[in-house]
Amino acid sequence: QEYTCIKIKITEFAPEAQGYLKQKNFDFASNEIFLVAATLRPETMYGQTCCFVSKKIDYGIFEAAQGQFYICTERAFKNMSFQGLTPQRGYYKPVVQINGSVLIGSKITAPLAAEKELRILPMDTILPNKGTGVVTCVPSDSPDDYINTRDLAHKSEYYGIKKEWVIEDFVALIRTEKYGDKCAEYLVNELKIKSPKDAVQLAKAKELAYKEGFYNGIMIYGKFTGEKVENAKRLVRDQMLEENTAFVYNEPEGVVMSRSG
Ligand code: ZZB
């Protein structure tokens, strides 16, 4: 599986994370630290509204270049270290480990996103052994992201977050005849999905959204407005690769657990 990894810059760590990192003697002030999110939909990056981590996952902070650090699972950084994406082949020891829960509430800025200041928020259904364990949230086109966003807004207290951290008002990116301009919202309603835990229905919604978007979708936002999604995918990816806000990451075969399969 070939993913595009998006570099999402942390602009202000949450107070708890700051305390933790200070205690670990990690100098977050004079380094650049990025959450690395693996996506199959680079053309949707305009619509990012937050970045999800899991409270059940221990992430690592890894040195990726001089003065640059990545936050992702050790498993993902290990793979990167064998793909020429890191300073030293086969070296993947984190400088610090950090649980997802500690990162929640931190401020971030994501490449191409229409919204300039986003937050790190929790998602319980992130799979630890897929991608980087970090998931960028695009509620216009990902049913999982749409329903998780709605749940976070409705139950902010339960999740231990501030309601104003949840961006519920988002731009439309892709138009299809079948599902309109916000396919995730359409499909969540159509399939009567009520919770992020409706795994079977969500897998179905995801597949429908992928198919319709890819074969019949037209961009209605950003530099490639009017372009078919099929083409925009590559154009947006190449732009981010050129700007060094993303890189290509390959997931080795046979170790990926899919929610649907
Ligand atoms: C942004 C995005 C926008 C995504 C969209 C999807 C959609 P797949 O097809 O099963 O391989 N993802 C990445 N890593 C994880 C993880 N560890 N656990 C749970 N979800 C993860 O799924 C790949 C997609 O699932 C990735 O692409 C990422 O979300 C998420 F409009 O990134 B995507 C119809 C889907 N639309």
Side-chain angles (χ1 to χ4, degrees), residues 23 29 38 59 65-66 84 86 100 118 123 131 157-158 163-164 175 179-180 191 199 247 255:
Q23 180 207 322
Y59 297 89
Q66 184 68 36
T86 66
L118 313 178
M123 185 187 233
E157 212 160 304
Y158 165 81
K163 190 167 190 288
E164 62 264 29
R175 176 167 298 161
Y179 307 138
L191 300 180
F247 57 89
V255 294

Side-chain angles (χ1 to χ4, degrees), residues 189-213:
N189 291 334
E190 181 75 9
L191 300 180
K192 300 185 170 43
I193 295 166
K194 301 282 179 238
S195 142
K197 291 180 192 135
D198 292 348
V200 173
Q201 289 296 82
L202 277 166
K204 196 168 154 189
K206 177 151 114 179
E207 201 183 316
L208 292 170
Y210 270 137
K211 277 213 183 102
E212 196 57 25

Side-chain angles (χ1 to χ4, degrees), residues 41-53:
R41 303 291 305 271
E43 78 282 10
T44 67
M45 293 301 100
Y46 305 104
Q48 296 173 87
T49 55
C50 68
C51 184
F52 293 130
V53 298

Side-chain angles (χ1 to χ4, degrees), residues 1 3 38-41 44-45 123 125-136 138 141-143 145 205-207 209-210 258-259:
Q1 183 74 278
Y3 288 100
T39 182
L40 296 175
R41 303 291 305 271
T44 67
M45 293 301 100
M123 185 187 233
T125 52
I126 294 180
L127 301 166
N129 47 8
K130 172 176 159 169
T132 56
V134 175
V135 175
T136 194
V138 184
D141 291 273
S142 162
D145 297 352
K206 177 151 114 179
E207 201 183 316
Y210 270 137
S258 152
R259 200 186 294 171

Side-chain angles (χ1 to χ4, degrees), residues 152-180:
L152 289 173
H154 290 175
K155 299 195 271 181
S156 51
E157 212 160 304
Y158 165 81
Y159 283 107
I161 59 165
K162 294 208 176 113
K163 190 167 190 288
E164 62 264 29
W165 294 351
V166 184
I167 298 175
E168 285 191 278
D169 185 24
F170 48 81
V171 294
L173 309 173
I174 292 167
R175 176 167 298 161
T176 66
E177 285 279 312
K178 236 176 175 169
Y179 307 138

Side-chain angles (χ1 to χ4, degrees), residues 7 34 68 70 111 238-247:
K7 292 163 70 176
F34 299 95
Q68 279 203 23
Y70 289 170
D238 289 351
Q239 183 191 338
M240 289 192 293
L241 295 181
E242 199 154 300
E243 291 168 351
N244 191 27
T245 51
F247 57 89

